Structures are given as C-alpha cells and as structure tokens.
Amino acid sequence: MTDTGSHNPAQSVNASSPSPTSGWARVTNQVIVRVTGPGTNQFLQGQFSQHLDEVVTGHSPRAAASNPKGRAYCLTRLVRAGDDVLMTLDSGLADTILKQLRKYLMLFRGTSADLLESGRVYGILGTDGTSLAADGLEQPGDTRAVENGYLVRVEPTADGTQRFELWQTQDGNNTLKPEHEIPLADWLASEIEAGVPSLTDTTLESYVPQMLNWHRLGGVHFKKGCYTGQEIIARMHFLGQLKKSLYRLSIDNSETAPKPGTRILSGERAVGDVVNAIRYTDGHVELLAVIRHDAASGDLSIEDSGAILNPRPLPYSVPEREDQASPDT
C-alpha cells in the first residue's frame, strides 16, 4: 500500500466497543520532528529527561521536556536515526513545543529541529493488519528499521493487546493492509487502556512527569546529569515526594467525555484532574486522571456532571501509591 497522506473520512469521535485487538490507524494528531546537526545529543541531553546514551539503534525510550519548575510541556519518544534523533509531537502543540525548545537550540550552531514534512505515524494493534515482522521486538521501546521508517513496540493495553507504532519518514510502501484500517479513536482509546497520557493546551506545564507515571513508562532517567527541570524532578523521586499520580478510570454511561483539565471531586473537595478521556460507542467513557494518592481509594466523581468514576487497572504498577495517607503539599 502506498500512502499519500490522505485522511480517512470515516474517522469516528467515539471508540469502538468492544475494543479491537488488531488493525491499524493513521495517527493524524502526531507529527515527526527530526533533530540533526553536531549538537544533537548535547542539546537533547540538556532538555529531556532521558539519557541520550539510552537512545541507540534498536531502542527508543520515552522522554519528557519540562520547564524550570519541572512541569512537563512535551511527552515524546526518541528514535535514533543514524546521527539524528526523531521525536513525535502533538500536531496542535508542535509550534508551541518547538518554540520553547529553540530557545535552547540556538546555543548549538548548525543543529536544527524541524518538522519532517514526509513523516507519518501509524498505530498498530496486534500483528494481523500488517506484513511487518515484529520478531525480536519484545519490550516497549524495542525498534527495528523498516522500509521508509521505523517500527517501535509500545506498551500493551491492560487487557494484553500488543501495540506498535510505525514511524514512516519518507513516502513509499508501508505494507499496512487497507482492509485492516481502524479509526483514530480506537488507537487513542488504546493509549488510555495502556496508561499512556498525552498533553493538551489545557494541561501543558501542569504536571511533573512522575505525576503522569512517565517514569513507570521508562521516560525519566534519574541517574543522568543536569537538564531543565531536573532538580525538581529528581527531588520528587529521591525524597519520596510524589503525592499524586495517573489513574485509569471509567464512567458507565455519558453523553460526552469530560475535557482535559476537568476537576475530579471527592465529595466537594477537588482531588484531581482529567488528563485524557474518550467515549465508546456503547456510551461508556474511559479516562486517565492525575489524582491525589490519599483520595484515590474513595468515592470519586466528575465536577459539574456528577458522573461516578470507577477504578480500572493499568498494565504497569506504581509503587509510590502504597503510602496513601500523606497529604499533598
């Protein structure tokens, strides 16, 4: 199949219920950025929470960029492409993120970070919808160079559905089978089911990466040297100061999904915020929310609508939640 970059007109705002376990989606809300030049590693090392020694051929870890107060404005994955590094950005936030990064990039003569005009991102559930071989891609972040791009294994859903991303860096055959295309909403739902958050213009610079479980997704390297926001991020980790983190929850039935930033209540007290949410075709909603540990086990509801929230499992553990008695200061 040769992709021309056209958008599937049949995309749905609601995710399918039950969730598909195979198929692929055009992840049209993501763009690819290429960082290239002699200062690539030094620049990224000074701005992202990942150690660039870990960004190697065959392994593509997640990373976050934060402001000096340790609040994340970029959540991404870093893929090694020769001497260059690729990352994905939300298309609606790309200009804002690149403007922030270029404040530091200007210190590295001959190094640039630009949108890859030919770049395309595809999300893949299972292995039925593509002839791309997933052999050897055993853990999240495992990567293989394929024709016209890179195939990356990403985190499975809580129900165990395998997931991959195909980063197509140039036009050409991507071997995805047309009959297996699924709506973007189904891929976004799988991100929530896998406990992988994304930022919006509402939640930009609202959370330290650990509050988004980013360290549990391999996106924070606590032994690397200094980078922007590192002091606060490291202090939260080493002093055990993480008092809130990302939870997966559901609403039995709702006309709409709550917007990012919507407050979550315990009684009349605000104890958290919605990060991402999606409605399914059967009317139920799943969401990711940052919630105080000392309130997460109680009765929770959505502000305004009063919708009751039900806990849902994540596919990974968050040991910091074991002590839920300490108030958040």
Side-chain angles (χ1 to χ4, degrees):
M1 173 185 173
T2 300
D3 178 51
T4 61
S6 60
H7 182 66
N8 178 12
Q11 299 289 3
S12 170
V13 296
N14 294 323
S16 301
S17 182
S19 298
T21 57
S22 65
W24 60 269
R26 305 168 192 255
V27 187
T28 51
N29 66 326
Q30 295 285 314
V31 295
I32 299 177
V33 169
R34 181 186 293 274
V35 183
T36 185
T40 293
N41 284 6
Q42 189 178 358
F43 160 63
L44 294 172
Q45 184 77 350
Q47 297 308 314
F48 284 86
S49 59
Q50 190 55 252
H51 201 304
L52 266 292
D53 287 351
E54 303 291 326
V55 184
V56 296
T57 300
H59 182 62
S60 307
R62 295 188 184 273
S66 303
N67 64 20
K69 295 182 178 180
R71 303 284 166 152
Y73 65 86
C74 176
L75 301 176
T76 188
R77 185 183 294 278
L78 304 178
V79 172
R80 178 67 65 179
D83 292 331
D84 301 342
V85 173
L86 305 175
M87 67 177 80
T88 53
L89 301 179
D90 182 280
S91 56
L93 300 177
D95 288 345
T96 298
I97 294 170
L98 287 174
K99 182 178 180 180
Q100 179 75 355
L101 289 174
R102 284 170 179 154
K103 293 178 182 178
Y104 303 94
L105 186 61
M106 63 185 296
L107 301 174
F108 299 89
R109 182 175 298 180
T111 302
S112 61
D114 297 301
L115 294 180
L116 194 61
E117 296 297 335
S118 59
R120 305 284 184 272
V121 181
Y122 300 88
I124 302 170
L125 302 178
T127 56
D128 293 341
T130 174
S131 59
L132 293 168
D135 296 346
L137 303 182
E138 303 295 336
Q139 300 296 326
D142 286 355
T143 304
R144 173 184 294 125
V146 296
E147 185 179 2
N148 303 319
Y150 298 88
L151 182 65
V152 185
R153 188 181 189 105
V154 299
E155 293 76 10
T157 68
D159 293 334
T161 298
Q162 299 180 71
R163 302 192 320 131
F164 304 85
E165 289 179 355
L166 173 62
W167 294 22
Q168 186 170 313
T169 55
Q170 55 187 330
D171 293 332
N173 186 1
N174 61 24
T175 75
L176 298 174
K177 301 175 183 178
E179 64 272 20
H180 288 276
E181 184 172 5
I182 59 176
L184 172 61
D186 286 348
W187 176 255
L188 298 180
S190 81
E191 291 277 88
I192 290 176
E193 293 167 8
V196 179
S198 59
L199 296 173
T200 67
D201 54 0
T202 303
T203 57
L204 212 64
E205 298 187 338
S206 295
Y207 307 109
V208 175
Q210 294 101 299
M211 296 178 185
L212 297 166
N213 296 356
W214 209 241
H215 60 312
R216 296 301 166 192
L217 294 165
V220 182
H221 194 294
F222 291 111
K223 295 183 180 180
K224 66 171 287 187
C226 183
Y227 59 94
T228 302
Q230 181 262 349
E231 181 179 354
I232 291 168
I233 292 169
R235 184 190 306 135
M236 179 170 285
H237 173 71
F238 291 111
L239 298 183
Q241 294 178 340
L242 183 63
K243 306 302 182 184
K244 58 176 74 172
S245 60
L246 195 74
Y247 290 78
R248 177 182 168 216
L249 307 113
S250 67
I251 301 170
D252 288 340
N253 189 57
S254 178
E255 292 295 324
T256 59
K259 295 179 179 180
T262 301
R263 295 202 304 178
I264 290 176
L265 305 180
S266 174
E268 296 183 355
R269 181 178 66 137
V271 296
D273 309 281
V274 173
V275 176
N276 305 115
I278 196 161
R279 185 179 184 272
Y280 290 71
T281 52
D282 65 357
H284 91 277
V285 170
E286 290 214 4
L287 59 93
L288 297 174
V290 170
I291 301 173
R292 294 169 55 120
H293 295 166
D294 61 1
S297 61
D299 295 333
L300 302 175
S301 63
I302 296 291
E303 187 179 41
D304 296 334
S305 73
I308 302 301
L309 291 167
N310 306 303
R312 299 281 287 149
L314 289 170
Y316 53 82
S317 62
V318 185
E320 294 91 343
R321 296 176 182 171
E322 293 178 4
D323 178 10
Q324 299 192 9
S326 300
D328 181 22
T329 58

